[in-house]
Amino acid sequence: MLVKHSSSTVLRRQQFLVRTLCGSRTHLPKLIRATMSSKSEAADAESVLRTVTPSLDPKRHKGQAAVIGGCREYTGAPYFAAISALKIGADLSHVFCTKDAAPVIKSYSPELIVHPVLEESYTISQFSEEEKRKVEDKVIGEVDKWMERFDCLVIGPGLGRDPFLLECVSKIMLLAKKSNVPFVVDGDGLFLVTNSIDLVKSYPLAVLTPNVNEYKRLVQKVLNCEVDEENAGDQLRSLAKQIGGVTILRKGKTDLISNGEIVKSVSIYGSPRRCGGQGDILSGGVAVFLSWAQQLKSDPERNFSPSESPAILGCIAASGLLRKAAALAFTKHKRSTLTSDIIECLGESLEDICPAS
Amino acid sequence: MLVKHSSSTVLRRQQFLVRTLCGSRTHLPKLIRATMSSKSEAADAESVLRTVTPSLDPKRHKGQAAVIGGCREYTGAPYFAAISALKIGADLSHVFCTKDAAPVIKSYSPELIVHPVLEESYTISQFSEEEKRKVEDKVIGEVDKWMERFDCLVIGPGLGRDPFLLECVSKIMLLAKKSNVPFVVDGDGLFLVTNSIDLVKSYPLAVLTPNVNEYKRLVQKVLNCEVDEENAGDQLRSLAKQIGGVTILRKGKTDLISNGEIVKSVSIYGSPRRCGGQGDILSGGVAVFLSWAQQLKSDPERNFSPSESPAILGCIAASGLLRKAAALAFTKHKRSTLTSDIIECLGESLEDICPAS
């Protein structure tokens, strides 16, 4: 059970980090041990999903997710990520976005808690440097006061590339790291991280979920070379290692996942229909499954080995579920399948793989 | 029949209060008398629900509910409470919220009447004390002119904790008491009441619906001790008594209800899936069923004893209905069940327990 008040939360995260970094005895279920191989291999995504998903017990907290994203231009992506987290099973799902984006994102669903706290440059263009710093402090403060409640952040869906906004988001990443809150970086968050790799470097609770282009830029920036499809697994492992062991989920026809040590692949199900927004469902899903895997890992009765990574397990589970839901939505909607249709299929797909009772 | 024009409404409420406080002869149906036990006992929630729900007669008014809540940050909670009141059977459902929240809440549904009248501190930060008092008077006036139409208020869903806004809401509670309008206090309304217990003390038409944390704070504040799970019923009774006989519905795996005299429990149905927002459905439900029970009590042909409490009956009926709807929604949506899914099941659940014809 996730304890909500501050000291316990911090303590829990510290205990978890100690276990992660220093190791502990292992009594792993076979399905999870399978992900520990040092070679690239196909993950049994459905089994991982069943293992990671907690039993339904009303007393058991399923966690709170928060999406940092949503600006004057983009409002769909943060909604997709946040509502997916909720549909998969989070107790509550928050969005931190700009003032312009908030009423729109709120109107998509009364289920989300939407905080209109981010600022873009155009709202502060007349401000002095000192006033700008005050605004920045206020933005950070508004997120900070909630941080202890969050079990995972998703940083980037619909974030945009406004310099002032990205500056604030850099600070939010530092806050999350200080509080040991895991975060998934996607979309424009990856633009930010690719240009400031230190923001995530060596943070074991960071997950990057690049698409083809975002991956290409990361490889160029960090490894100083081009994408090598022939040795995709090895290159991904090198990239993750070079960034200090963060976890990377490289989205593609086959999803590849590595934390610099092991490389796993997920290629079950999937849909031939591409639609923008699938990546947002994935990022919301990784956030929830990662926090559940972490919860499992912090359970003293289920000691996990240090080489067992909640981030890897979260990526495998989320990838498997998205692919199943996309396949199911495609059977229903064919060429007209939209992201919302896939989200509508998350519950049925989850129930099919991992029945609630 | 609820008479809508002012003098009759006030008269009706005075007559009701006289009966409540001074007693009258009893000819009670067995199902209702069952709630009069002085010991904690399981309520027959379905029977209470059938007894309290009025027959469908186009000439018969089903009452108007009003939710006081909804601010810049929260818009989902007041929507859930207000739409639930409507789905259960209120004729009309109002929301009084801030100017920022109103367009969003309106966008969730064209069924609600949304009044953008509340103000938060940031909109009046430049005002003098005198100007602030004028704004406060205006806010109170906007609510007051509607008060006589309301059969019950729900105070608190998505209210937030802005000091100026809470100051206005305190005055709205005084207004409601003056007009003998019952009110249900939930969410941030409980934060307000816990810090200013006199706002509800000894008002027999007040219902508090705390969750685990809100209950803990109430117990600490009022009884000066910690929550005693071993003697949960007795402690709840003491708490309600200490607050002068208000009714408290303590939400949990089993819902416990007391007015300082009797203690009832409801544990039928329910869902293992937690989702934020169920409490809002409950508060909207209590408002409607309470007003119906009050209507029944004010019917001279169905004399109720003074120990029979419309508030207790309203809590039992609302708890039973929410639990049934949550169970039904869970069979349909399993782990992905959201608050909106439960609201969609209110009608079917009500029909199942208490057929319209």
Side-chain angles (χ1 to χ4, degrees):
Chain A
M1 190 175 110
L2 296 190
V3 183
K4 286 284 156 267
H5 51 90
S6 176
S7 59
S8 303
T9 308
V10 170
L11 185 67
R12 175 173 57 80
R13 287 190 178 122
Q14 281 171 351
Q15 287 170 340
F16 161 73
L17 260 198
V18 167
R19 268 199 297 280
T20 305
L21 300 173
C22 307
S24 61
R25 283 194 321 115
T26 61
H27 303 286
L28 304 183
K30 194 176 165 206
L31 296 170
I32 298 199
R33 202 160 53 229
T35 68
M36 291 167 57
S37 160
S38 65
K39 289 206 173 176
S40 162
E41 65 175 58
D44 183 349
E46 295 196 352
S47 299
V48 168
L49 208 152
R50 273 190 288 272
T51 307
V52 167
T53 303
S55 65
L56 275 175
D57 171 355
K59 285 188 189 160
R60 199 183 176 104
H61 289 279
K62 301 298 182 303
Q64 296 193 34
V67 177
I68 314 289
C71 60
R72 192 162 52 155
E73 205 155 14
Y74 307 112
T75 51
Y79 163 74
F80 289 142
I83 199 78
S84 297
L86 214 51
K87 289 256 181 183
I88 291 169
D91 288 329
L92 289 171
S93 192
H94 300 247
V95 176
F96 290 80
C97 61
T98 69
K99 289 182 178 61
D100 294 321
V104 178
I105 300 175
K106 284 169 187 280
S107 76
Y108 293 147
S109 166
E111 309 278 353
L112 305 177
I113 300 170
V114 182
H115 307 261
V117 300
L118 303 182
E119 296 280 358
E120 291 183 77
S121 299
Y122 74 92
T123 61
I124 53 159
S125 58
Q126 306 299 317
F127 286 18
S128 69
E129 280 308 307
E130 195 191 332
E131 286 169 327
K132 284 181 185 172
R133 288 293 75 80
K134 275 190 188 163
V135 174
E136 189 179 292
D137 288 347
K138 193 161 175 280
V139 170
I140 310 304
E142 291 285 346
V143 180
D144 194 23
K145 69 184 184 193
W146 288 90
M147 192 63 82
E148 66 176 67
R149 307 197 189 195
F150 298 141
D151 298 282
C152 195
L153 304 183
V154 181
I155 301 177
L159 196 57
R161 296 188 177 181
D162 178 80
F164 182 80
L165 194 152
L166 292 185
E167 183 62 32
C168 291
V169 172
S170 301
K171 303 274 167 64
I172 293 170
M173 285 189 185
L174 297 180
L175 273 184
K177 284 157 72 175
K178 202 172 139 198
S179 304
N180 293 324
V181 175
F183 56 76
V184 181
V185 187
D186 193 39
D188 292 317
L190 286 168
F191 169 80
L192 171 64
V193 159
T194 303
N195 292 327
S196 310
I197 212 80
D198 280 348
L199 284 173
V200 296
K201 198 165 188 175
S202 303
Y203 185 50
L205 305 178
V207 178
L208 316 183
T209 53
N211 63 18
V212 176
N213 288 328
E214 291 155 351
Y215 186 71
K216 187 178 164 188
R217 281 195 292 270
L218 260 179
V219 167
Q220 288 170 338
K221 186 86 178 188
V222 176
L223 298 180
N224 242 321
C225 64
E226 293 303 317
V227 172
D228 176 6
E229 290 300 347
E230 294 285 302
N231 302 292
D234 287 339
Q235 189 175 45
L236 177 64
R237 191 197 330 258
S238 302
L239 179 65
K241 195 165 208 143
Q242 191 68 28
I243 313 179
V246 301
T247 297
I248 304 175
L249 192 171
R250 179 195 165 174
K251 294 178 282 196
K253 196 176 171 197
T254 292
D255 290 336
L256 281 179
I257 303 157
S258 180
N259 60 354
E261 298 292 329
I262 61 174
V263 185
K264 307 297 286 184
S265 65
V266 180
S267 55
I268 52 164
Y269 305 112
S271 158
R273 158 81 168 137
R274 289 160 54 92
C275 57
Q278 287 196 45
D280 305 312
I281 303 176
L282 184 72
S283 64
V286 172
V288 174
F289 287 116
L290 188 168
S291 68
W292 285 347
Q294 218 185 345
Q295 221 179 321
L296 207 61
K297 188 159 179 166
S298 69
D299 181 348
E301 288 178 17
R302 300 190 67 164
N303 279 339
F304 275 32
S305 107
S307 66
E308 262 245 313
S309 153
I312 293 270
L313 296 176
C315 287
I316 292 170
S319 169
L321 180 64
L322 168 63
R323 285 166 167 273
K324 173 136 183 120
L328 185 58
F330 185 74
T331 63
K332 295 181 183 183
H333 303 279
K334 301 293 179 183
R335 289 173 190 275
S336 74
T337 307
L338 302 185
T339 304
S340 306
D341 301 318
I342 302 175
I343 291 172
E344 276 312 298
C345 291
L346 285 172
E348 191 179 339
S349 303
L350 194 53
E351 181 61 17
D352 200 45
I353 298 172
C354 177
S357 52
Chain B
M1 191 176 109
L2 297 189
V3 182
K4 288 285 155 258
H5 51 90
S6 176
S7 60
S8 303
T9 307
V10 170
L11 185 66
R12 175 173 55 84
R13 288 190 177 122
Q14 281 171 350
Q15 286 171 338
F16 161 73
L17 260 197
V18 166
R19 268 198 300 278
T20 306
L21 301 173
C22 307
S24 62
R25 282 194 324 115
T26 60
H27 304 285
L28 304 184
K30 194 178 165 206
L31 296 170
I32 299 198
R33 201 161 52 228
T35 67
M36 291 167 57
S37 160
S38 65
K39 288 205 173 176
S40 162
E41 65 175 58
D44 184 349
E46 295 196 353
S47 299
V48 169
L49 209 151
R50 274 189 287 273
T51 307
V52 166
T53 304
S55 65
L56 275 176
D57 171 354
K59 286 184 191 164
R60 197 181 176 107
H61 290 280
K62 299 297 181 302
Q64 296 193 34
V67 177
I68 313 290
C71 60
R72 190 163 54 155
E73 208 155 12
Y74 305 113
T75 50
Y79 163 73
F80 289 142
I83 199 76
S84 297
L86 214 50
K87 288 255 181 185
I88 291 169
D91 287 329
L92 288 170
S93 192
H94 300 247
V95 176
F96 290 80
C97 60
T98 68
K99 289 183 177 60
D100 293 321
V104 177
I105 299 174
K106 285 168 188 278
S107 78
Y108 293 146
S109 168
E111 310 277 353
L112 304 177
I113 301 168
V114 182
H115 307 260
V117 299
L118 302 182
E119 296 281 357
E120 291 183 77
S121 299
Y122 76 93
T123 61
I124 53 157
S125 58
Q126 307 300 319
F127 287 17
S128 69
E129 281 308 309
E130 195 193 332
E131 286 169 325
K132 284 181 186 173
R133 286 294 75 80
K134 275 189 190 165
V135 174
E136 189 179 292
D137 289 347
K138 191 161 178 280
V139 170
I140 309 305
E142 292 285 345
V143 180
D144 194 22
K145 70 184 184 193
W146 288 88
M147 192 62 85
E148 66 177 68
R149 307 198 189 193
F150 298 140
D151 298 282
C152 194
L153 304 183
V154 181
I155 301 177
L159 196 58
R161 296 187 177 183
D162 179 79
F164 182 79
L165 194 151
L166 292 185
E167 183 61 32
C168 291
V169 171
S170 301
K171 303 275 167 65
I172 293 170
M173 284 188 185
L174 298 180
L175 273 185
K177 284 157 73 177
K178 201 173 138 198
S179 304
N180 292 325
V181 174
F183 55 77
V184 182
V185 187
D186 193 39
D188 292 316
L190 286 169
F191 168 80
L192 172 64
V193 158
T194 303
N195 293 326
S196 311
I197 212 79
D198 280 348
L199 283 172
V200 295
K201 198 165 187 176
S202 303
Y203 185 50
L205 304 179
V207 178
L208 316 182
T209 53
N211 63 18
V212 176
N213 289 327
E214 290 155 353
Y215 186 71
K216 187 177 165 188
R217 282 193 291 269
L218 260 178
V219 166
Q220 288 170 338
K221 186 83 178 191
V222 176
L223 297 182
N224 239 321
C225 64
E226 295 303 316
V227 173
D228 176 6
E229 290 299 345
E230 296 284 301
N231 302 293
D234 286 340
Q235 189 175 45
L236 178 64
R237 191 199 328 259
S238 301
L239 180 65
K241 194 164 210 143
Q242 191 70 27
I243 313 179
V246 300
T247 296
I248 303 175
L249 192 171
R250 180 195 166 174
K251 294 178 281 197
K253 197 176 171 197
T254 292
D255 290 336
L256 282 179
I257 303 156
S258 181
N259 59 355
E261 297 294 329
I262 61 173
V263 185
K264 307 298 286 186
S265 65
V266 181
S267 54
I268 52 164
Y269 304 112
S271 158
R273 159 78 169 139
R274 290 159 52 95
C275 57
Q278 288 195 46
D280 305 312
I281 302 177
L282 184 73
S283 64
V286 172
V288 174
F289 287 116
L290 187 168
S291 68
W292 286 346
Q294 217 184 347
Q295 223 179 319
L296 206 61
K297 188 157 177 167
S298 68
D299 181 347
E301 288 177 15
R302 301 189 68 165
N303 279 340
F304 277 30
S305 105
S307 65
E308 263 245 312
S309 153
I312 293 269
L313 296 176
C315 287
I316 292 170
S319 168
L321 179 64
L322 168 63
R323 285 167 167 272
K324 173 134 184 126
L328 185 58
F330 184 74
T331 63
K332 296 181 182 182
H333 302 279
K334 301 290 179 183
R335 289 177 189 273
S336 72
T337 307
L338 302 186
T339 304
S340 307
D341 301 318
I342 301 175
I343 290 172
E344 277 313 300
C345 291
L346 285 172
E348 191 179 339
S349 304
L350 195 53
E351 181 61 16
D352 199 46
I353 299 172
C354 178
S357 53

